[in-house]
Amino acid sequence: MTIQTRSKLTSQLKDIEDLLVRFRDKCSADIRATGLAATGDKGAQEGLVRGRKAEDRLRNSIESSCLDVLLLQQPLIGDDMRFVTGSFRIVSDLSHIDGMTRDASFLAAEVPEKATSKFTDEFTEMAEATAKMVEKAVNAFCNSDVNAAQEVIQQDAEVNIIYGDVTDKLVQQIREGKSSARYLPEVLMVAKYFERIGDLAKRIASWAIFRVTGEHVTEKGVDPIPTDD
């Protein structure tokens, strides 16, 4: 590979990284907005809907850039190949996260504020925790930081604990015969979306580990990185 070609590749990889950071910022902002929507903020839900086009543009830009590198910059080896492969997979996870924020906000909009107000602390904590996990996971990938990636994987346990708190409170409402318990499915699913976002943040973190080590993470609770086999 000539110096000129290497310089072009370096520029292309930096462009992909910059786009990933922009997508990271959008997702984390949308997760926090979902936390607001889940506690009755109607304006937050409207903003999530308006952001759909921005998500599509970012996803298309990253996928196109990755394909350009894969098709035009052969052969790719080592870190370059793992970075492009990981980026291609991560953009799919970020897109899923963004879709989940909209779905969760739609569900929350169907639930009376009286019912969701009992879970304000839990939804706020889950939103902030998962937003930080996504931010840290993408940063770990871009910075080839295995330690940070492992911290993200460990932090998911905190989200699972809060999710358990939500289910416990819902069960208690049912036992007490409270009328708001009829919204159990919607409230539970909003919490489940946050829990699933945490799982996807773990998977992004697993790509950070893959970028550095070339190893596929198969730790319990983390979806294995798919292979081409």
Side-chain angles (χ1 to χ4, degrees):
M1 182 179 291
T2 66
I3 294 176
Q4 182 178 4
T5 303
R6 179 66 212 185
S7 176
K8 180 179 180 182
L9 174 59
T10 300
S11 177
Q12 289 176 308
L13 297 179
K14 182 62 169 62
D15 288 343
I16 294 172
E17 182 178 313
D18 290 343
L19 287 167
L20 281 175
V21 169
R22 286 174 56 191
F23 208 166
R24 173 206 69 190
D25 291 344
K26 173 174 169 41
C27 281
S28 61
D30 285 352
I31 293 168
R32 291 185 172 97
T34 301
L36 295 174
T39 54
D41 188 327
K42 304 302 181 183
Q45 195 263 346
E46 293 172 0
L48 288 165
V49 174
R50 291 194 298 270
R52 178 61 185 272
K53 290 183 179 179
E55 178 214 333
D56 290 340
R57 287 195 297 269
L58 283 167
R59 175 170 185 162
N60 291 338
S61 294
I62 296 171
E63 289 180 340
S64 295
S65 297
C66 289
L67 287 173
D68 284 345
V69 171
L70 289 172
L71 293 174
L72 303 176
Q73 292 287 352
Q74 294 290 349
L76 288 177
I77 58 175
D79 181 70
D80 293 340
M81 175 60 82
R82 292 194 294 271
F83 174 78
V84 175
T85 301
S87 296
F88 200 84
R89 299 288 191 175
I90 286 172
V91 70
S92 178
D93 290 332
L94 291 175
S95 185
H96 285 151
I97 289 172
D98 225 35
M100 287 180 182
T101 62
R102 286 190 297 276
D103 291 343
S105 69
F106 286 139
L107 275 175
E110 299 298 318
V111 181
E113 188 173 346
K114 181 180 179 180
T116 58
S117 64
K118 296 178 175 62
F119 302 91
T120 296
D121 290 343
E122 288 83 0
F123 287 156
T124 300
E125 290 175 12
M126 292 183 85
E128 186 61 26
T130 52
K132 287 181 177 178
M133 286 176 67
V134 170
E135 291 169 346
K136 194 168 188 176
V138 175
N139 289 346
F141 177 78
C142 293
N143 298 325
S144 299
D145 190 337
V146 170
N147 290 333
Q150 291 173 336
E151 289 173 3
V152 171
I153 293 172
Q154 294 168 359
Q155 288 166 356
D156 187 56
E158 301 172 12
V159 177
N160 292 337
I161 289 173
I162 303 172
Y163 176 70
D165 291 341
V166 173
T167 58
D168 289 345
K169 289 178 76 170
L170 286 169
V171 170
Q172 186 63 30
Q173 285 188 18
I174 293 173
R175 288 175 175 171
E176 294 174 357
K178 294 185 176 179
S179 60
S180 58
R182 71 175 182 270
Y183 297 104
L184 165 64
E186 291 84 356
V187 173
L188 185 61
M189 278 305 302
V190 170
K192 185 63 179 178
Y193 274 122
F194 283 122
E195 190 268 340
R196 181 56 180 154
I197 288 171
D199 290 342
L200 288 170
K202 282 198 303 184
R203 192 158 70 184
I204 293 172
S206 74
W207 280 109
I209 296 173
F210 169 76
R211 179 182 180 184
V212 176
T213 67
E215 297 177 356
H216 300 298
V217 175
T218 56
E219 179 179 344
K220 183 179 180 181
V222 181
D223 292 339
I225 294 176
T227 67
D228 295 327
D229 297 336

